[in-house]
Amino acid sequence: MNQRTRTLGIGEDVDGWKTVMLIYNSALKEVGTKLEILNDEFQHVHQYNPIEYIKSRIKAPESIVKKLKRYGCESTISNMTEYVNDIAGIRIVCSFISDIYRMAEMIGRQNDLTVVSVKDYIKHPKRSGYKSYHMLVTIPIFLSDRVIDTKVEIQIRTIAMDFWASLEHKIYYKFEGNAPDYISRELRECSGIISMLDAKMLSLNEIVGKAKEEQEAT
Ligand code: 0O2
């Protein structure tokens, strides 16, 4: 089969929006299946699921246009595929921080995925207090006559981080990005509390694991 691999981007000859959406949807399916397999295998080997749940979405056209405007780019299909990295987005929600890094490592080891960049907002939270682990990956999508490397943004976070982010997102939109200072301060404080909770839950989980091992050994 004579297939060429290339990156979807400026100068690309895909005909229009529908084709691009088909490709991004296919990329979501591919990455989603990979994650399910990793989770199932982990359950099989360790009798434990690192993933609590997965959410995926295609970015709304208005949000794509808004982002392009913010970047100072014209709203064209080639600009969108070139500059907007999170058109296809998958969010993996885990119980513990250790699961996040475990998942990231397993994803990084998949030979047919290319990790383009990583942003660790857990070690380096955003000023807002936002915490999450972001991986930008590309996955080859095999069409009938060509192969297109397609970008997917993977966000990995704990349940507590997800709770904080969805609340903050709602507040952000309520105030159109200009929340009063005292609300932003409160949110940063909540982000700190969430980190403490995540750390406490992780150490509790480790204590439970050790206690169980000791119990089984006796
Ligand atoms: P939505 O509605 O979730 O799609 P950017 O910094 O936005 O120019 P980049 O490089 O994609 O571009 O940024 P980043 O930081 O890697 O990821 C952006 C996404 O992370 C956001 O997408 C959010 O989903 C999430 N995110 C980043 N910062 C925050 C934050 O302070 N609060 C919350 N709640 N989420 C955040 P979008 O497109 O902004 O929004």
Side-chain angles (χ1 to χ4, degrees), residues 10-11 15 18 32 36 69 74 83 97 101 108 122 133 145 151 158 180 189 193 195 197 199 214:
I10 290 174
D15 60 352
K18 279 192 176 168
E36 275 172 32
K69 241 188 213 154
E74 242 185 283
Y83 299 116
I97 292 185
Y101 291 102
I122 298 170
Y133 190 91
D145 60 346
K151 289 184 267 192
T158 61
E189 199 184 313
I193 295 170
S195 296
L197 178 68
E214 281 167 15

Side-chain angles (χ1 to χ4, degrees), residues 3 30 56 99-100 102 115 144 165 178 184 198 203 207 216:
Q3 287 177 319
E30 290 271 8
S56 63
D99 293 332
I100 296 177
R102 196 172 283 149
V115 179
S144 56
N178 289 310
S184 304
D198 272 335
S203 77
I207 291 167
E216 277 162 9

Side-chain angles (χ1 to χ4, degrees), residues 57-60 63-64 67 70-71 83-87 91 117-119 121 126-132 134-136 153 155 157 161-162 164-170 172-173:
R57 64 104 181 90
I58 293 286
K59 205 173 184 70
S63 306
I64 297 174
K67 207 161 207 180
R70 182 150 63 83
Y71 293 163
Y83 299 116
V84 184
N85 291 332
D86 62 343
I87 294 174
R91 191 166 287 155
S117 63
V118 165
K119 290 181 190 167
Y121 295 127
K126 284 200 161 182
R127 212 191 113 61
S128 60
Y130 176 75
K131 293 192 188 87
S132 200
H134 290 195
M135 297 177 89
L136 178 63
E153 187 192 71
Q155 298 182 347
R157 48 173 80 153
M161 290 172 193
D162 194 45
W164 183 95
S166 41
L167 184 64
E168 193 266 357
H169 198 263
K170 276 183 210 144
Y172 184 89
Y173 277 97

